[in-house]
């Protein structure tokens, strides 16, 4: 049985992710060349190490401690996806709230869980007064197709810190 719920700091521990499968086999990515997006072969496997999980837990705790939101989707009590939104306004007018994470376990992708998590994150950001979500997104072609299908477009104000940290990420926005 699928259940969505808000998560709090008490929920965030390594055990929450014990059955979560982050693994993504990537073959093609979007890359910006001469101001245009092009599809490039760039095969690799994206997965999280224990250090990555420790960092994720720190980030999620920080999100909640600073007033952000965290949503989870569960199947039979097991975490199958999550989304986090930061409370800090971004952009020249504070028009953005950052969708800092959106992940669905590998065996549950393409079932609509990510769409619902995205909608919950967007609703929360709208309630905080944001005009848009800001997304520094993985450049994998499948990931970009997901965000574009939701109506995301290239960010009008790419955030320099995100671009510097992840130069291959696609900087996107979603009008709320």
């Amino acid at each position: 049985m699928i259940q969505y719920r808000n998560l709090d700091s008490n929920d965030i521990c390594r055990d929450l992710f014990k059955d979560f499968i982050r693994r993504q086999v990537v073959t093609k990515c979007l890359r910006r060349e001469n101001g245009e997006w092009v599809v490039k072969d760039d095969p690799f496997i994206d997965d999280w190490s224990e250090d990555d999980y420790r960092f994720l837990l720190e980030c999620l705790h920080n999100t909640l401690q600073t007033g952000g939101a965290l949503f989870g989707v569960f199947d039979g009590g097991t975490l199958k996806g999550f989304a986090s939104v930061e409370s800090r306004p971004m952009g020249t007018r504070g028009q953005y709230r950052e969708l800092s994470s959106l992940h669905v376990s590998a065996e549950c992708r393409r079932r609509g869980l990510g769409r619902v998590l995205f909608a919950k994150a967007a609703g929360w950001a709208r309630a905080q007064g944001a005009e848009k979500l800001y997304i520094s997104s993985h450049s994998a072609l499948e990931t970009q197709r997901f965000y574009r299908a939701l109506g995301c477009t290239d960010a009008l104000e790419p955030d320099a810190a995100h671009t510097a940290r992840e130069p291959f990420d696609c900087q996107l926005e979603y009008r709320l």
Side-chain angles (χ1 to χ4, degrees), residues 11 30 40 49 81 89 108 137 145 148 157:
D11 295 311
L30 285 185
K40 297 292 240 181
S49 67
C108 293
S137 169
R145 285 180 176 156
R148 302 293 174 158
E157 292 183 26

Side-chain angles (χ1 to χ4, degrees), residues 50-107:
E50 281 305 312
D51 284 342
D52 293 328
Y53 276 105
R54 275 191 284 281
F55 183 67
L56 173 67
L57 295 175
E58 289 175 22
C59 290
L60 295 177
H61 276 293
N62 183 66
T63 296
L64 293 174
Q65 290 168 354
T66 57
L70 177 60
F71 305 95
V73 58
F74 295 82
D75 188 356
T78 302
L79 182 74
K80 295 300 177 185
F82 63 98
S84 59
V85 188
E86 303 303 317
S87 64
R88 182 181 62 86
M90 294 174 58
T92 55
R93 297 179 296 100
Q95 69 271 30
Y96 294 114
R97 295 300 182 283
E98 180 187 0
L99 178 70
S100 50
S101 62
L102 175 58
H103 298 282
V104 174
S105 192
E107 79 282 10

Side-chain angles (χ1 to χ4, degrees), residues 160-173:
H162 283 87
T163 303
R165 189 171 46 250
E166 293 288 348
F168 292 121
D169 273 8
C170 300
Q171 306 304 311
L172 304 174
E173 67 180 35

Side-chain angles (χ1 to χ4, degrees), residues 146-161:
F146 168 79
Y147 282 118
R148 302 293 174 158
L150 292 171
C152 296
T153 58
D154 291 343
L156 295 178
E157 292 183 26
D159 181 72

